[in-house]
């Protein structure tokens, strides 16, 4: 299984000795229809997107090309530690920006917009959804004060202004560094199922003001100029007019992203979304210094200035927890693991009541890390109920330990051989804790690590 991020789609890498593919599951058939239709169209237009291999009859499952694990964001994070925001990173961004006009103009010209979901265009309704998402899931949860009617009036004015921009192009919608894959010295694109008709400026704003990518302002301007030069290969460009609208689309994109950070972070308590907030505020502060729009937005500007000056919000997600959670899988035949922290242990969960895949010949040489075993446990056992109870107990301690500044917690899962049920349980709990709490997680598969 691959880790989930901001959506409810589930992905798994599966394969044999000669190849791997990515399997996807999503209950939202309309979203899948958009993704599959766009994928086939873009692929046939020569855009680097994953090839679709197979689709289930209910349109909820599909197999696509495996593009590896290296996203543009992962690459820049790794390289930046050694080289800073170097020419190596900039060259990757230029590859992306060379492809963007082709996606927007050439591929977008005859794409089937009837499959767009949830809207065919980034229209008034779409903009108001984004602005209200920002209002209800960020401003209110961040306890920022505002005059609701005055802000609503500004939202109407602001969206009307943005709608006056030319919007006959394919808008990718979530064009950011985590949705660009690097493979074989080329760039590939994923997660465009939200695509629709829209303005050119939006996707450029999404990429250049991508929060945690934290692109330096001088590099951002360099990349903006590069995009304009690439765009001119396809159409005439009024640079002054393009730039004026660009600032407006940067602003709505930042607000849309902050709505997502609020919903996933404040509401769903997912730590990695909270960590993006200070970067978004930094971008907002830079934008406000030179924000010249031909419409008056007094209450919106007031709210944005409050946000950019909030020291509390700037610190969110920046403090690293000192709590380390050690999760161990083990075999009861070899005894319960010792707690190396010296705290005398923690939780020990007995998985032996769960239906054991190890009793069947086809699973004996596999472990809880193998897809076949995972499917067995998820479909033919009460593992889900068992793990939910374990999560609830551990979560109760994690919350208290974080509040009190404790440094260590151990959790162990035992089964007969320490190979199937305990390994699966340990990995699932680790994934849950890493996605939801600011903790350091160490996973040890005591028997499996010494197996084979």
């Amino acid at each position: 299984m691959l880790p989930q991020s901001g959506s409810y789609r589930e992905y798994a890498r599966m394969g044999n000795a000669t190849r791997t593919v990515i399997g996807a599951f999503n209950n939202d058939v309309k979203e899948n229809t958009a993704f599959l239709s766009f994928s086939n169209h873009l692929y046939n237009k020569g855009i680097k997107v994953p090839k679709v291999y197979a689709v289930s009859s209910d349109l909820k499952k599909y197999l696509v090309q495996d593009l590896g694990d290296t996203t543009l964001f992962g690459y820049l994070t790794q390289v930046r530690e050694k080289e800073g925001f170097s020419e190596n990173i900039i060259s990757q961004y230029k590859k992306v920006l060379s492809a963007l006009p082709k996606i927007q103009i050439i591929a977008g010209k005859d794409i089937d917009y009837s499959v767009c979901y949830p809207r065919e265009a980034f229209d008034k309704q779409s903009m108001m959804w984004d602005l209200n998402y920002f209002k209800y899931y960020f401003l209110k949860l961040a306890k920022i004060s505002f005059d609701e009617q005055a802000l609503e009036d500004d939202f109407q004015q602001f969206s009307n202004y943005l709608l006056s921009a030319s919007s006959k192009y394919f808008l990718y919608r979530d064009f950011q560094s985590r949705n660009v894959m690097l493979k074989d010295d080329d760039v590939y694109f994923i997660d465009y199922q939200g695509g629709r008709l829209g303005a050119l400026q939006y996707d450029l704003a999404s990429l250049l003001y991508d929060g945690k990518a934290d692109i330096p302002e001088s590099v951002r301007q360099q990349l903006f100029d590069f995009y304009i030069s690439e765009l001119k290969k396809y159409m005439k460009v009024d640079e002054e007019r393009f730039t004026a609208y660009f600032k407006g689309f940067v602003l709505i994109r930042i607000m849309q992203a902050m709505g997502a950070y609020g919903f996933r972070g404040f509401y769903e308590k997912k730590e990695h979304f909270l960590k993006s907030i200070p970067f978004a505020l930094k971008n907002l502060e830079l934008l406000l210094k030179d924000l010249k729009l031909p419409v008056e937005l007094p209450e919106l500007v007031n709210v944005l200035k409050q946000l950019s000056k909030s020291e509390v919000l700037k610190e969110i997600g920046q403090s690293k927890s000192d709590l380390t959670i050690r999760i161990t899988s083990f075999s009861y035949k070899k005894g319960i693991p010792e707690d190396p922290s010296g705290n005398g242990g923690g939780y020990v969960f007995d998985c032996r009541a769960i239906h054991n895949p190890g009793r069947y010949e086809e699973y004996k040489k596999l472990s809880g890390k193998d897809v076949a075993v995972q499917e067995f446990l998820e479909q033919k056992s009460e593992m889900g109920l068992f793990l939910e109870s374990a999560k609830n107990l551990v979560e109760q301690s994690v919350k208290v330990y974080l509040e009190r500044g404790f440094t260590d917690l151990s959790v162990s899962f035992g089964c007969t051989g320490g190979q199937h049920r305990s390994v699966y349980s340990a990995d699932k709990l680790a994934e849950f804790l890493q996605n939801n709490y600011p903790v350091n997680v160490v996973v040890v598969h005591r028997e499996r690590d010494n197996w084979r």
Side-chain angles (χ1 to χ4, degrees):
M1 294 301 296
L2 302 179
Q4 286 179 280
S5 53
S7 77
Y8 299 110
R9 294 184 296 278
E10 296 178 45
Y11 296 102
R13 176 173 281 114
M14 50 188 74
N16 55 24
T18 59
R19 68 185 294 204
T20 60
V21 298
I22 299 298
F25 171 77
N26 182 14
N27 265 319
D28 195 328
V29 170
K30 288 184 177 180
E31 186 177 66
N32 293 341
T33 301
F35 173 78
L36 294 167
S37 176
F38 293 159
S39 292
N40 288 325
H41 178 84
L42 294 169
Y43 185 86
N44 290 332
K45 290 289 185 179
I47 306 297
K48 301 284 188 176
V49 297
K51 185 175 182 180
V52 177
Y53 295 129
V55 183
S56 65
S57 58
D58 63 3
L59 296 180
K60 293 183 178 181
K61 299 169 282 290
Y62 50 89
L63 299 179
V64 295
Q65 181 182 1
D66 184 357
L67 298 175
D69 295 312
T70 306
T71 64
L72 176 58
F73 178 75
Y75 174 81
L76 80 86
T77 301
Q78 185 179 26
V79 173
R80 195 172 195 168
E81 288 182 2
K82 302 173 184 175
E83 305 176 4
F85 210 98
S86 66
E87 282 300 322
N88 288 322
I89 297 173
I90 292 171
S91 69
Q92 298 297 334
Y93 269 89
K94 286 183 175 179
K95 289 179 188 177
V96 174
L97 291 170
S98 290
L100 180 55
K102 186 177 179 183
I103 295 171
Q104 295 171 312
I105 299 170
I106 304 301
K109 190 174 294 182
D110 55 352
I111 203 165
D112 183 3
Y113 289 104
S114 69
V115 302
C116 292
Y117 178 71
R119 303 286 291 180
E120 190 171 315
F122 191 53
D123 53 12
K124 180 80 169 182
Q125 182 67 72
S126 297
M127 291 182 186
M128 294 307 295
W129 279 342
D130 282 357
L131 294 169
N132 283 308
Y133 191 44
F134 166 70
K135 178 170 69 174
Y136 291 115
Y137 283 110
F138 196 87
L139 293 183
K140 285 188 177 285
L141 294 179
K143 300 178 181 177
I144 299 295
S145 61
F146 58 88
D147 181 320
E148 186 137 13
Q149 185 57 60
L151 187 59
E152 179 68 20
D153 292 343
D154 283 358
F155 283 172
Q156 295 290 338
Q157 281 271 86
F158 183 43
S159 56
N160 286 338
Y161 166 66
L162 295 179
L163 286 168
S164 66
S166 178
S167 55
K168 58 184 179 181
Y169 310 100
F170 181 70
L171 189 152
Y172 192 109
R173 179 62 170 164
D174 199 17
F175 197 71
Q176 43 103 347
S177 60
R178 289 173 185 78
N179 289 337
V180 177
M181 307 298 297
L182 305 187
K183 179 180 171 64
D184 301 330
D185 200 32
D186 212 337
V187 293
Y188 288 74
F189 304 96
I190 60 172
D191 279 6
Y192 34 76
Q193 58 278 339
R196 62 197 76 177
L197 277 166
L200 294 168
Q201 290 89 342
Y202 188 93
D203 286 336
L204 182 63
S206 300
L207 184 72
L208 298 188
Y209 284 81
D210 178 5
K212 286 181 76 174
D214 197 24
I215 300 175
E217 188 62 20
S218 60
V219 174
R220 187 179 283 147
Q221 185 59 52
Q222 178 186 344
L223 293 174
F224 177 87
D225 293 339
F226 178 81
Y227 170 81
I228 294 294
S229 67
E230 292 295 301
L231 185 61
K232 286 179 178 178
K233 295 176 182 178
Y234 300 89
M235 59 183 284
K236 290 183 179 180
V237 181
D238 181 335
E239 291 189 43
E240 187 176 344
R241 183 176 172 82
F242 185 96
T243 303
Y245 278 115
F246 177 69
K247 294 292 178 72
F249 281 102
V250 169
L251 185 54
I252 196 170
R253 175 61 183 181
I254 289 175
M255 288 192 282
Q256 185 275 335
M258 291 177 84
Y261 301 155
F263 178 68
R264 302 294 183 185
F266 293 136
Y267 185 71
E268 291 190 335
K269 308 296 184 187
K270 292 183 177 178
E271 178 71 15
H272 57 289
F273 284 95
L274 292 175
K275 289 179 178 179
S276 296
I277 291 174
F279 295 101
L281 294 177
K282 179 182 174 183
N283 284 337
L284 188 58
E285 195 169 7
L286 283 169
L287 189 65
L288 288 172
K289 287 179 181 178
D290 189 34
L291 185 64
K292 296 174 184 175
L293 299 176
V295 287
E296 294 295 320
L297 307 169
E299 187 61 15
L300 178 56
V301 171
N302 168 48
V303 162
L304 297 176
K305 285 183 176 177
Q306 285 187 64
L307 287 174
S308 67
K309 293 176 182 177
S310 172
E311 294 301 323
V312 174
L313 289 174
K314 288 177 183 177
E315 293 298 319
I316 282 180
Q318 298 306 292
S319 57
K320 291 188 177 179
S321 167
D322 291 325
L323 175 59
T324 295
I325 303 174
R326 184 181 178 89
I327 305 175
T328 306
S329 68
F330 71 96
S331 164
Y332 273 99
K333 295 176 182 178
K334 299 184 179 180
I336 296 172
E338 293 184 4
D339 174 18
S341 73
N343 288 340
Y347 291 100
V348 179
F349 294 102
D350 188 344
C351 304
R352 289 175 294 182
I354 305 297
H355 192 185
N356 184 11
R359 292 166 53 192
Y360 300 90
E361 192 62 38
E362 63 264 39
Y363 303 117
K364 283 186 177 179
K365 294 184 178 180
L366 303 179
S367 80
K369 287 187 172 292
D370 290 300
V371 173
V373 172
Q374 293 169 2
E375 288 179 346
F376 178 97
L377 291 170
E378 289 163 6
Q379 298 169 14
K380 299 177 182 178
S381 80
E382 293 187 342
M383 177 60 80
L385 184 63
F386 170 79
L387 265 184
E388 195 61 33
S389 300
K391 285 177 184 177
N392 288 337
L393 284 169
V394 174
E395 193 173 24
Q396 184 178 354
S397 291
V398 169
K399 289 175 180 176
V400 173
Y401 278 35
L402 286 170
E403 286 175 6
R404 298 185 64 183
F406 291 175
T407 59
D408 294 279
L409 174 65
S410 73
V411 182
S412 299
F413 290 93
C415 62
T416 306
Q419 179 180 329
H420 299 103
R421 296 164 291 179
S422 59
V423 169
Y424 176 89
S425 300
D427 283 347
K428 284 296 178 183
L429 179 65
E431 181 183 313
F432 170 75
L433 293 174
Q434 286 171 326
N435 284 339
N436 292 280
Y437 292 98
V439 294
N440 308 307
V441 177
V442 176
V443 180
V444 178
H445 297 301
R446 193 181 68 182
E447 270 61 76
R448 196 226 175 234
D449 290 347
N450 295 313
W451 178 53
R452 291 180 184 174

